[in-house]
């Protein structure tokens, strides 16, 4: 089996003079949760629609589960479950009835997966209620249940946590991880940076129709300046002492303490912390807390998009 669930090269989509996507090179490995991350209007839904055959690309090539698109689309989509924007259902039918209607368009085995799919997304107790009584969050979960009817190798979910409360988002995160543990691939298109960071293994950041960076979550959050937060008193004296340490390029008062920015060639964080503590204690400065600042996916996103805006 090919190692990539999704592969695009030079993929582009134009609407008249406007480029919704431009030269997208994307590689989504099998058996992972992959975040396609960008602000609203960045081109995320356009990519999803291209992959599902709901729109035709202007340029480039696509492969889905090892099949060239569009020639192999029928074979590929037989094992793909997808939510595009808000999932739509027949409001006068129950959740269970809606899934059976959808199962009729799949193979015969899909009907046998309805009950398990409803239970898996937490709708077992509401399966026989009409969908018009469902909240937006419940309809989102019913959309995921519909995805599961084809026993998918790949799930493509466009903004799937819209309308979910914090408990629902936590449940959804666990659902995605359980699907990945089964060897399935989940492409999660979202503008929620924190959710992508907590749910996904890899991510690509898209801005103005272009993929600006992609890689593992660990690699994406490892770049940028290294900083350390220190709470010590007297604060002004501590900042002055830290500014004189060769490994520190800047030390400023920050949020009731001090934030020290490290030089690019500074030793690893643990060694730097030891040096800073020794210097502060040698100057009779009381130290309450020293902690390296963990860079988040939001930091990387803001850094990349701001850099592009001013390029």
């Amino acid at each position: 089996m090919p190692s990539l669930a999704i592969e695009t090269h030079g993929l582009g989509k134009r609407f008249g003079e406007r480029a919704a996507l431009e030269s997208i090179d994307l590689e989504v490995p099998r058996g992972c949760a992959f975040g396609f991350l960008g602000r609203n209007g960045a081109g995320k839904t356009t990519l999803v629609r291209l992959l599902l055959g709901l729109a035709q690309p202007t340029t480039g090539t696509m492969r889905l589960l090892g099949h060239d698109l569009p020639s192999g689309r029928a074979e590929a989509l037989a094992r793909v479950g997808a939510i595009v924007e808000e999932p739509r259902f027949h409001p006068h039918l129950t959740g269970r009835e809606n899934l059976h209607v959808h199962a009729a368009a799949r193979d015969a085995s899909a009907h046998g997966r309805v009950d398990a799919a409803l239970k898996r997304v937490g709708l077992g107790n509401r399966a026989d209620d009409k969908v018009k009584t469902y909240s937006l969050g419940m309809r989102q979960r019913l959309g995921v249940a519909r995805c599961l009817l084809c026993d998918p190798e790949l799930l493509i979910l466009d903004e799937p946590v819209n309308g979910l409360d914090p408990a629902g988002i936590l449940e959804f995160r666990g659902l995605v991880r359980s699907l990945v543990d089964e060897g399935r691939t989940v492409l999660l298109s979202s503008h929620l940076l924190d959710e992508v960071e907590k749910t996904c293994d890899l991510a690509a950041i898209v801005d103005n129709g272009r993929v600006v960076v992609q890689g593992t979550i660990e690699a994406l959050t490892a770049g940028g300046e290294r900083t350390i937060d220190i709470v010590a008193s007297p604060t002004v004296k501590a900042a002055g002492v830290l500014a004189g340490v060769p490994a520190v390029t800047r030390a400023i008062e920050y949020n009731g303490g001090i934030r020290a920015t490290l030089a690019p060639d500074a030793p690893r964080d643990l060694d730097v912390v030891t040096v800073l503590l020794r210097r502060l204690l040698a100057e009779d400065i009381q130290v309450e807390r020293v902690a390296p600042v963990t860079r988040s996916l939001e930091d990387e996103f803001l850094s990349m998009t701001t850099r592009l805006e001013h390029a």
Side-chain angles (χ1 to χ4, degrees):
M1 295 178 64
S3 60
L4 296 177
I6 299 172
E7 183 178 4
T8 73
H9 294 286
L11 189 65
K13 177 64 177 178
R14 302 187 71 86
F15 296 97
E17 296 298 316
R18 184 177 70 87
L21 290 177
E22 192 164 355
S23 193
I24 298 293
D25 294 329
L26 193 66
E27 294 186 347
V28 179
R30 287 179 181 263
C32 75
F34 190 101
F36 194 60
L37 183 63
R39 68 186 77 188
N40 291 331
K44 304 185 302 298
T45 297
T46 299
L47 175 74
V48 169
R49 294 178 65 83
L50 291 177
L51 292 173
L52 297 175
L54 302 176
Q56 297 302 313
T58 307
T59 59
T61 61
M62 301 178 287
R63 285 176 63 83
L64 199 65
L65 297 177
H67 300 280
D68 290 321
L69 303 182
S71 60
R73 178 167 285 118
E75 295 85 353
L77 293 185
R79 296 299 303 279
V80 174
I83 294 177
V84 185
E85 298 178 318
E86 182 183 342
R88 304 288 182 175
F89 297 98
H90 299 289
H92 61 285
L93 298 180
T94 68
R96 191 190 311 277
E97 289 168 341
N98 267 280
L99 292 194
H100 278 294
V101 168
H102 184 77
R106 294 284 185 174
D107 60 82
S109 62
H111 289 283
R113 300 189 185 103
V114 168
D115 290 345
L118 287 165
K119 182 178 180 181
R120 187 160 192 180
V121 300
L123 289 176
N125 293 332
R126 296 291 304 274
D128 295 314
D129 293 343
K130 293 184 184 298
V131 167
K132 65 182 179 182
T133 68
Y134 283 13
S135 66
L136 174 58
M138 291 174 66
R139 293 197 301 275
Q140 290 289 104
R141 285 188 279 159
L142 188 61
V144 176
R146 186 169 62 188
C147 291
L148 298 177
L149 297 184
C150 67
D151 189 22
E153 292 181 37
L154 170 65
L155 290 93
I156 300 176
L157 307 179
D158 186 22
E159 301 285 3
V161 298
N162 279 353
L164 296 184
D165 58 21
I169 291 175
L170 186 61
E171 290 176 0
F172 174 79
R173 192 183 305 154
L175 173 61
V176 169
R177 295 314 311 174
S178 70
L179 292 168
V180 171
D181 289 343
E182 294 171 1
R184 307 178 199 268
T185 306
V186 180
L187 176 69
L188 181 64
S189 168
S190 180
H191 67 282
L192 301 177
L193 294 91
D194 184 61
E195 193 54 39
V196 168
E197 183 170 3
K198 291 178 179 177
T199 305
C200 296
D201 307 295
L202 304 98
I205 295 175
V206 61
D207 192 54
N208 293 324
R210 292 178 176 270
V211 170
V212 294
V213 66
Q214 63 181 303
T216 65
I217 297 296
E218 181 180 21
L220 292 178
T221 57
E225 291 182 330
R226 294 162 57 204
T227 55
I228 294 178
D229 281 349
I230 301 105
V231 178
S233 59
T235 302
V236 174
K237 180 180 178 181
V241 170
L242 293 171
V245 177
V248 175
T249 60
R250 184 173 69 252
I252 60 173
E253 294 186 48
Y254 176 83
N255 199 25
I258 304 162
R259 174 157 290 185
T261 301
L262 304 182
D265 59 350
R268 64 194 183 104
D269 289 349
L270 182 60
D271 293 336
V272 171
V273 167
T274 301
V275 171
L276 298 184
L277 278 173
R278 286 175 176 169
R279 186 67 63 91
L280 292 170
L281 294 174
E283 297 292 333
D284 294 325
I285 294 172
Q286 295 183 352
V287 180
E288 181 179 328
R289 179 176 177 269
V290 179
V293 178
T294 302
R295 187 173 171 85
S296 70
L297 192 58
E298 181 177 13
D299 295 329
E300 177 63 17
F301 177 82
L302 293 174
S303 172
M304 292 297 302
T305 55
T306 302
R307 192 181 313 156
L308 289 171
E309 288 174 359
H310 293 87

